[in-house]
Amino acid sequence: MTLLDAARKVRENAYAPYSGFAVGAALRTESGAIFTGCNVENAAFPEGTCAEAGAIAAMCAAGERRIAELAVIADGPKPVPPCGGCRQKLAEFGTGDTVVIMATLEGAQLRKTLNELLPGAFGAAQLGQV
Ligand code: THU
């Protein structure tokens, strides 16, 4: 199963009653493992938790930390771009060269690196910790 297939499949489990916008994400780590996530909304915070954040949480819970590639898919007119907060979360666990594949259910695809999505990212280096 490709990363995009995994994202498409997990999207079916999205809980998005407020936005009606179901999103699925799948990431592959440097070890080759795949972790998936879907968006989960709630009444108090209708924007809920993004699919990418769910996949990152699953990766961390499994003890992994390095993202090699991520795919995200939704039923929009254009490939869904990760929100700003998710770009920062992806930068935490990927590199500038990490590829993000964005897709629509209809088959449109866009590929960008994290450097392209979040140029000049704030990171641990600014804290003097790397
Ligand atoms: N959403 C994601 O899950 N990932 C994105 O990259 C963009 C937005 C979700 C959050 C919310 O549940 C819904 O899409 C509408 O913003």
Side-chain angles (χ1 to χ4, degrees), residues 30-64:
E30 286 177 357
S31 77
I34 290 180
F35 297 96
T36 60
C38 57
N39 56 331
V40 179
E41 301 176 347
N42 67 80
F45 301 99
E47 69 280 9
T49 306
C50 287
E52 297 92 323
I56 289 170
M59 173 190 77
C60 284
E64 296 226 31

